Amino acid sequence: METSVTPTHCPYCALQCGMNLTPAAGGGVTVSERVDFPVNRGALCGKGRTAPALLSPALRLTEPLVRRDGVLVPVTWEEALDRVAEGLTRTRTEHGPDACGVFGGGGLTNEKAYALGKFARVVLGTSQIDYNGRFCMSSAAAAGNKAFGIDRGLPFPMEDIPKTGCVILVGSNLAETMPPALRYLTELKENGGTLIVIDPRRTRTAEQADLHLAPRPGTDLALALGLLHLVVSQGRTDEAFIEERTSGWEETRAAAMAHWPEYVERITGVPVPQLREAVRMFCAPANAMVLTARGPEQQSKGTDTVGAWINLCLATGRSGRPYSGYGCLTGQGNGQGGREHGQKADQLPGYRKLTDPEARRHVAGVWGVDPDSLPGPGLSAYELLDALGSDIRSLLLMGSNPVVSAPRAAHIQQRLESLDFLAVADVVLSETAALADVVLPVTQWAEETGTTTNLEGRVLLRRQAVSPPDGVRSDLYVLHQLAARAGVEKGFPVEPEEVFEELRRASAGGIADYSGITYRRLAEENGVFWPCPAQDDQPDGNRSQAAAHPGSPRLFLDRFATEDGRARFAPVTYRPIAEEPDAEYPVLLTTGRVVAQYQSGAQTRRVDELNAAAPGPFVELHPRLAARLGAGEGDAIAVVSRRGRAVAPARITTAIRPDTVFMPFHWPGEGRANTLTNPALDPTSRMPEFKACAVRLETVLP
């Protein structure tokens, strides 16, 4: 039996932990530590250790399915692809290109994301493409672009975190969402640094903190402004840094001074002494960082909220220097690369703007099409899903499960059901795939080669370790075949490295420049940080003698990526959530994850070990709230919002605020948390407000 070891990366979160895969007797692979990869240094969470379970044919799709008489039945690949091509062509002919929608996922490799965006714009000619990464870190991306001129989750490698003096972690339960990353916070404290965690719940991560602030959900913006107010009033600003490396400070300072500590305490519920202590801890050491996650970002004011935390870094000189700065902890496995190369509604490969004439000219040149033929920006993710069945009549969906993951999920399920035609390419029969007219079984992480970009901006090579089942094909094969059926014979290769070579050319000169990155370099160097331009020609024109660009692990040390090289402050003011509690809906709901499940659970809910650890949804509530309701531990609780009703067992704990309940969002059906969530959108990022909405609680009779 072949016993070769394949070094690769986990299929789940944005850490993209390194692991080794070895063929197992009877098929599949076994996972072992890969200590040479610097991000996780061999550590894996339960999801990573059990990832090979999904390679079992018993747990995944192994043949195409087509709906006949209301039932999905197995068919040949030729019939399934013909059906998809016919459905999309019919819609284009009868209703125009923009009646065809494309929806992608933050778990797709860079090659797939690139090919999907190209397919939408070149083959279908539609502007209506977006992806579920819009639900992940789009607010942080928008704020980062405004402030720094670039959007990369972390502007420094993870290894820098333990070397700073203080970390403010905002809205992240790192111990459960990215367990191997918790060691960086442990090492921070071992090195004498301090940790401040901001979360409405006392999570496993918050238990590690030197200071835990528990604000009311949706008030992170007021909290950041209150801290900046104290920084100014206590004379803790870095005036030299502000003068030399920033712009917009006067307006930002004035906005912050309107948020005095007592006012912020009334909004957030965080006592003034804790606000003062947070400022002292953050400003005491020479270096400090602010790291945000979905808590402050998944709000209808998420861009402003992240901007306010960036302001705190800039005002104190905690940016643009070693071991300091603002960073976003990206969630999905390729949430970073997934939007850099074309599956986001307003972007072309290389993080180019779709509205930029020069960007259109460059990418169209690589694609061999007229720049004027490229459609303009389309609808954002939720708006695209909301338009299904009306403006958008057919949808090609790859690697996403919006029936569970989208806000106001029952409504989105109805929109999906109203489509003229739905095709889904996925590894498993997700709740969304179960609604499709055609389901295409595609390869997954260990069955294919491709690149991803982790939360540090480190481009990585996932390597194929096993062959897929006979009835399974790659997403690149699907796009190649559909393009050919539409008369586009060239431009959609099936081999991932060939796609990546074109991606390099398309990204060249863009913000996310991958042109100096090759599969060989990724294998030899354990990943390369973008931007990484292609090497320059030597004076004699001998490119082979040119030194390769080393990549960019640390950004902003000399200048920011704005036109003038200065970081831009964001003058923002507090505003409430879109839906405040009232007499009818008096409680706040916030949502999140648990350690044993991942995203919509489409994959992890099929793994016995993970289900044993987290078998189903629950409602976490404070004992005082439970007593008012007359509910005991494990009692069925109905959580009702203006959008629907979910039922799950009570989990009573003092680790949550008395005015707030928490539900994880991994499950469909009666306990689906996203039945309740509010699709109110951030005006800039178009991020829905997953993290705060008004609900009421009801006991459910047995």
Side-chain angles (χ1 to χ4, degrees):
M1 185 185 75
E2 178 64 48
T3 58
S4 61
V5 175
T6 302
T8 189
H9 296 274
C10 178
Y12 291 115
C13 82
L15 284 180
Q16 287 297 278
C17 291
M19 57 171 60
N20 287 321
L21 301 182
T22 304
V29 295
T30 59
V31 172
S32 59
E33 291 185 355
R34 181 183 166 193
V35 296
D36 68 309
F37 186 61
V39 175
N40 64 310
R41 290 174 274 169
L44 292 170
C45 73
K47 294 186 291 291
R49 286 188 296 99
T50 60
L54 265 296
L55 299 172
S56 169
L59 299 183
R60 49 90 58 85
L61 292 166
T62 58
E63 53 190 349
L65 306 173
V66 166
R67 189 170 300 279
R68 289 180 181 157
D69 299 322
V71 178
L72 288 171
V73 298
V75 296
T76 65
W77 267 96
E78 286 298 307
E79 181 177 345
L81 290 166
D82 286 346
R83 180 80 178 271
V84 176
E86 290 165 5
L88 295 174
T89 299
R90 187 184 315 112
T91 296
R92 290 186 76 235
T93 301
E94 296 178 359
H95 303 285
D98 275 355
C100 293
V102 177
F103 199 83
L108 299 181
T109 63
N110 290 317
E111 292 81 358
K112 295 176 185 179
Y114 173 83
L116 187 62
K118 181 180 179 182
F119 178 85
R121 295 178 174 109
V122 172
V123 178
L124 297 180
T126 182
S127 66
Q128 302 305 338
I129 175 173
D130 210 81
Y131 83 129
N132 63 16
R134 178 79 70 169
F135 300 157
C136 179
M137 59 173 290
S138 57
S139 293
N145 278 324
K146 285 184 176 182
F148 307 127
I150 198 169
D151 155 36
R152 198 179 84 183
L154 295 179
F156 41 73
M158 295 284 286
E159 67 188 46
D160 284 4
I161 293 174
K163 301 173 185 176
T164 193
C166 178
V167 169
I168 298 181
L169 185 65
V170 190
S172 169
N173 184 10
L174 202 63
E176 297 205 50
T177 58
M178 298 178 175
L182 189 63
R183 67 168 54 185
Y184 291 101
L185 303 181
T186 302
E187 292 171 5
L188 166 75
K189 297 181 69 175
E190 291 172 349
N191 292 339
T194 56
L195 173 64
I196 302 169
V197 171
I198 298 171
D199 197 304
R201 305 165 62 223
R202 188 165 182 80
T203 63
R204 290 173 55 191
T205 308
E207 289 174 352
Q208 309 300 313
D210 298 286
L211 177 64
H212 172 216
L213 309 182
R216 187 170 175 266
T219 63
D220 309 86
L221 175 54
L223 182 59
L225 287 163
L227 297 182
L228 184 54
H229 180 288
L230 287 169
V231 164
V232 174
S233 64
Q234 295 176 8
R236 296 180 182 270
T237 55
D238 187 333
E239 295 297 329
F241 178 87
I242 292 170
E243 175 67 24
E244 295 169 7
R245 301 201 59 188
T246 72
S247 62
W249 170 234
E250 292 303 321
E251 299 89 343
T252 298
R253 178 173 60 185
M257 296 314 289
H259 298 77
W260 60 95
E262 292 76 13
Y263 172 57
V264 170
E265 178 180 322
R266 289 199 300 272
I267 294 171
T268 64
V270 177
V272 171
Q274 290 189 4
L275 298 175
R276 296 186 185 280
E277 177 63 6
V279 168
R280 185 198 66 77
M281 291 171 61
F282 185 68
C283 294
N287 302 302
M289 297 176 178
V290 173
L291 305 177
T292 68
R294 306 302 80 75
E297 298 163 19
Q298 288 181 326
Q299 298 183 27
S300 59
K301 53 183 181 298
T303 302
D304 285 356
T305 301
V306 174
W309 289 108
I310 292 174
N311 289 344
L312 184 66
C313 291
L314 296 177
T316 55
R318 264 60 172 175
S319 191
R321 60 176 55 164
Y323 311 127
S324 284
Y326 163 78
C328 166
L329 300 173
T330 308
Q332 295 193 76
N334 198 31
Q336 182 73 53
R339 69 181 175 282
E340 292 169 0
H341 299 299
Q343 64 172 335
K344 191 163 173 277
D346 55 353
Q347 288 176 194
L348 288 169
Y351 217 119
R352 287 180 159 90
K353 293 182 179 178
L354 193 51
T355 54
D356 178 1
E358 175 55 29
R360 295 169 66 88
R361 184 201 63 77
H362 172 83
V363 174
V366 174
W367 288 350
V369 299
D370 185 340
D372 291 338
S373 70
L374 298 179
L379 297 171
S380 71
Y382 179 79
E383 293 166 302
L384 187 157
L385 295 172
D386 190 39
L388 299 180
S390 53
D391 295 336
I392 299 173
R393 308 298 292 268
S394 292
L395 182 69
L396 173 63
L397 186 146
M398 286 187 163
S400 186
N401 189 18
V403 165
V404 178
S405 64
R408 198 185 174 197
H411 170 72
I412 295 305
Q413 180 172 337
Q414 292 171 354
R415 302 320 308 153
L416 285 159
E417 291 169 344
S418 71
L419 283 165
D420 294 344
F421 180 77
L422 171 63
V424 173
D426 209 332
V427 174
V428 298
L429 189 66
S430 69
E431 288 73 22
T432 303
L435 303 178
D437 297 288
V438 180
V439 181
L440 303 174
V442 291
T443 49
Q444 55 180 309
W445 62 293
E447 300 165 348
E448 60 186 9
T449 294
T451 62
T452 62
T453 306
N454 80 345
L455 76 173
E456 308 166 296
R458 188 194 304 252
V459 185
L460 305 166
L461 183 63
R462 281 192 197 161
R463 299 169 175 88
Q464 181 179 353
V466 296
S467 298
D470 290 341
V472 173
R473 305 286 185 270
S474 73
D475 300 83
L476 295 178
Y477 172 87
V478 170
L479 295 174
H480 171 84
Q481 291 291 330
L482 293 178
R485 283 164 169 78
V488 181
E489 299 290 341
K490 296 182 179 180
F492 291 90
V494 173
E495 290 301 318
E497 188 169 7
E498 189 175 348
V499 178
F500 189 79
E501 287 300 304
E502 183 178 302
L503 182 158
R504 292 177 60 205
R505 299 196 304 274
S507 73
I511 293 173
D513 190 335
Y514 284 29
S515 60
I517 303 174
T518 64
Y519 271 31
R520 179 177 177 178
R521 284 194 65 182
L522 295 178
E524 293 176 348
E525 299 176 32
N526 242 338
V528 178
F529 291 85
W530 71 263
C532 182
Q535 63 266 41
D536 296 323
D537 288 332
Q538 296 297 305
D540 63 359
N542 188 345
R543 178 173 290 274
S544 65
Q545 296 181 9
H549 189 285
S552 308
R554 295 172 181 86
L555 304 177
F556 315 143
L557 298 183
D558 300 316
R559 69 188 307 275
F560 294 97
T562 56
E563 290 184 2
D564 60 6
R566 291 173 172 265
R568 305 185 187 99
F569 279 98
V572 296
T573 58
Y574 174 71
R575 62 183 187 275
I577 61 175
E579 185 180 72
E580 288 281 4
D582 55 22
E584 188 177 2
Y585 299 95
V587 177
L588 280 168
L589 167 71
T590 192
T591 63
R593 287 172 47 189
V594 297
V595 66
Q597 301 289 353
Y598 181 72
Q599 304 300 76
S600 75
Q603 295 178 340
T604 51
R605 284 187 277 110
R606 287 167 165 79
V607 179
D608 289 341
E609 181 178 331
L610 300 179
N611 278 333
F618 58 86
V619 181
E620 186 177 277
L621 68 164
H622 192 276
R624 294 210 299 267
L625 185 54
R628 289 203 301 271
L629 193 63
E633 181 73 17
D635 287 352
I637 301 292
V639 185
V640 184
S641 78
R642 290 179 173 86
R643 288 153 296 281
R645 183 175 189 265
V647 178
R651 183 174 294 182
I652 301 172
T653 174
T654 58
I656 193 168
R657 292 173 54 96
D659 58 1
T660 300
V661 296
F662 166 83
M663 291 187 71
F665 58 76
H666 309 292
W667 288 273
E670 186 179 52
R672 181 173 58 186
N674 277 320
T675 297
L676 309 167
T677 47
N678 190 354
L681 301 180
D682 180 290
T684 302
S685 68
R686 316 308 288 170
M687 167 74 84
E689 191 153 63
F690 287 99
K691 288 301 180 187
C693 70
V695 298
R696 69 171 182 265
L697 306 183
E698 301 170 352
T699 55
V700 178
L701 295 176

